[in-house]
Amino acid sequence: MNEHYRAAADRLDDDDAVERLAGLAALQRLGQSEPAQRPAIVEAWCEYLRRPFLDPEAEGLGERERADRRDELEVRHRIQWLLREHVHSGPYRGEPASPQYWGDELEVDLARATLHTLDLSFRSIHPRATFPGARFLGDTVFTGAGFGEYTSFFKAVFSGDSTSFRDSTFTGEGMSFDGATFAGETSFEQSSFSGAAWLSGAVFGGRTSFEQSSFSGDAWFTGAVFSGRTSFAGAVFHSDTLFEHATFNGDTSFRTTSLRGDDAWFEGVTFAGRTDFGEAFFGGMAWFEGAMFRGEARFDAATFGDDDNRFDDVVAPYGASHVWPEGWTLVRESDVEGSAGGGRDVFWGRLTLLEDMAAENGFDELAEDGPW
C-alpha cells in the first residue's frame, strides 16, 4: 500500500462528509491508475458499508443530527455506485466487461453490511461477492442480475416494501438464502438456478412469486414461511424439491408447476389458504404425508409419474370443494379436530386410499366421491 492509498483511505474516517466523499474520489482515481491497489480499495469500500448505520429518518432527531445522517447516507450511496461501476460490471449475457471493470481477483466481502435502496439490476454480480447477514434497507433491485460461482445471502434481511430478483440467473454451483428474511413483496419470477438452491428457513413477509422460474439442481425450502399470497405457477424443478414443514399462510399456487426430480417433498407442510396444484406434473414420488390443508385443495388434472405417491395422514376441512389425486378420498375423522384447529363448525377429514377402504370393508372398489 503506497502513501497515496493511505492518505485517501484515512479521509474515510473524517467527521466531515465532504472529506469522506473526497477520499472516495481519490481512491477511485488511484484504482484507475494503479491496478495493484484495487483489492485494497474495494476492501476499504466494503469495510465502510459494514460499519454501523443510523437511520436519518428516525423520529426524535435534532436538525443537525438528521443532516449528518443524511450526509452519511450520501457517502454510502456513492460507495454503492462505485461498486456497481467497477466491481459489478464484468461480462454479462454475452457482452464483454465494462472498460471500468476492475477484474475478477477482488474480494467483495459485504457480510453484515448495510445497503440502502441498492440497485444492481442488469449487472454481472462479482463472482467473489458475498452478502451473508447483510441488511438491505428500502427497495432492493437485482432484476436481471447475473450471479456466478457460489452466492450467499445467508440470513440476509430485506426490509423494504419490494425486493426483486426477477429474471436473474444463478449459474454457480449453488446459492443460499437460508434463514433470509424478506419483509415486503418478493419476486424471483423467470429466474434460473443452475446449481443447488437453498432457501431453508427463509421468511417471506409479503406476496411472493417464483412463477416460471427454473431450478436445475436440488431446491430446498424446508421450514420456509410464506406469509402472503405465493405462486410457483409454471416453475420447473429438474431435480429433487424439498418443502418439508414449510408454512404457506396465504393462497398458494403450484398450478402447471413441473416437478421432474425423483422426489418432491411436501411432508408436514401447512397450507392455510386456497391451494392449487391444478395441472401440476410430478415426475417422481410425491410425498405429502402429514400435510395440512386449512383451505380448499385442488389437484385438478395433476399428473403423477409414480403410482406410489404418499398422501397418508393429510388432513383438510371436511365438506370443502377439494379435488384430490386419483385414488384418494377425504374421510371424516373426529380425532384430527383438536390438532388441526378451527372453529366448532369446522369438521376435519383425513385422506385415505380408496383401495384400502375397500379392503377394510370387504368391497372390490369404492367411488371417490363418497360420502365417507
Side-chain angles (χ1 to χ4, degrees):
M1 297 183 189
N2 61 28
E3 61 184 31
H4 298 293
Y5 168 83
R6 293 186 182 279
D10 286 345
R11 298 174 79 175
L12 301 185
D13 296 321
D14 199 282
D15 291 337
D16 189 343
V18 173
E19 279 297 309
R20 298 198 296 276
L21 288 169
L24 294 177
L27 288 172
Q28 181 188 22
R29 291 193 298 271
L30 181 62
Q32 290 288 76
S33 62
E34 297 188 31
Q37 299 295 327
R38 290 173 180 177
I41 293 169
V42 170
E43 170 53 26
W45 291 344
C46 292
E47 186 278 329
Y48 195 101
L49 294 176
R50 296 195 298 267
R51 298 179 185 181
F53 173 71
L54 300 176
D55 183 5
E57 306 308 321
E59 296 182 1
L61 299 180
E63 184 177 338
R64 180 55 185 270
E65 184 177 5
R66 190 179 303 279
D68 287 344
R69 292 189 183 187
R70 287 176 175 171
D71 289 343
E72 166 65 6
L73 182 57
E74 182 181 351
V75 175
R76 288 174 171 268
H77 282 168
R78 184 62 181 177
I79 294 175
Q80 291 177 188
W81 181 86
L82 289 167
L83 291 175
R84 177 183 172 93
E85 293 302 303
H86 297 299
V87 175
H88 303 302
S89 54
Y92 176 77
R93 298 189 178 183
E95 295 296 323
S98 163
Q100 304 300 317
Y101 183 52
W102 283 3
D104 291 346
E105 299 305 316
L106 302 169
E107 295 293 337
V108 190
D109 181 7
L110 292 167
R112 296 175 296 281
T114 300
L115 304 161
H116 189 275
T117 57
L118 181 67
D119 185 349
L120 290 176
S121 54
F122 304 103
R123 286 281 168 161
S124 175
I125 307 305
H126 195 276
R128 302 179 76 170
T130 183
F131 302 87
R135 291 195 307 151
F136 295 84
L137 308 181
D139 293 348
T140 299
V141 185
F142 283 97
T143 299
F147 296 84
E149 297 188 13
Y150 174 77
T151 303
S152 176
F153 287 87
F154 176 72
K155 289 190 174 181
V157 176
F158 299 84
S159 60
D161 293 334
S162 174
T163 299
S164 176
F165 285 87
R166 180 183 174 88
D167 192 34
S168 56
T169 56
F170 296 84
T171 58
E173 63 181 15
M175 48 73 72
S176 175
F177 284 88
D178 282 349
T181 299
F182 300 83
E185 182 172 330
T186 304
S187 175
F188 282 88
E189 292 180 4
Q190 300 176 341
S191 292
S192 62
F193 306 85
S194 298
W198 289 286
L199 296 100
S200 295
V203 176
F204 298 86
R207 184 184 183 278
T208 302
S209 178
F210 284 84
E211 291 183 359
Q212 299 180 336
S213 54
S214 175
F215 298 82
S216 297
D218 291 351
W220 298 73
F221 289 87
T222 53
V225 176
F226 300 85
S227 298
R229 185 179 181 89
T230 301
S231 179
F232 285 84
V236 179
F237 295 86
H238 293 275
S239 190
D240 289 352
T241 308
L242 301 96
F243 282 91
E244 294 171 296
H245 303 290
T247 300
F248 295 85
N249 287 318
D251 291 347
T252 302
S253 176
F254 282 87
R255 190 166 190 84
T256 68
T257 299
S258 182
L259 301 112
R260 302 177 182 177
D262 292 336
D263 295 282
W265 297 88
F266 289 87
E267 289 186 312
V269 173
T270 297
F271 297 95
R274 185 182 189 276
T275 304
D276 186 4
F277 279 91
E279 300 181 59
F281 170 73
F282 296 83
M285 283 280 290
W287 302 82
F288 280 83
E289 291 180 296
M292 179 185 297
F293 294 85
R294 293 183 180 271
E296 180 182 309
R298 309 285 302 191
F299 285 82
D300 310 61
T303 56
F304 297 85
D306 196 302
D307 294 332
D308 189 25
N309 297 295
R310 307 308 299 267
F311 286 81
D312 309 78
D313 293 320
V314 168
V315 297
Y318 185 79
S321 299
H322 306 298
V323 177
W324 300 110
E326 183 177 356
W328 293 87
T329 190
L330 194 67
V331 178
R332 182 172 171 179
E333 298 280 1
S334 60
D335 64 326
V336 292
E337 292 187 31
S339 61
R344 294 183 179 180
D345 296 333
V346 177
F347 299 101
W348 293 85
R350 179 179 284 115
L351 271 190
T352 304
L353 269 174
L354 283 167
E355 62 183 39
D356 291 345
M357 289 184 62
E360 290 175 4
N361 291 277
F363 297 104
D364 292 333
E365 61 181 21
L366 294 171
E368 292 187 22
D369 54 359
W372 312 113

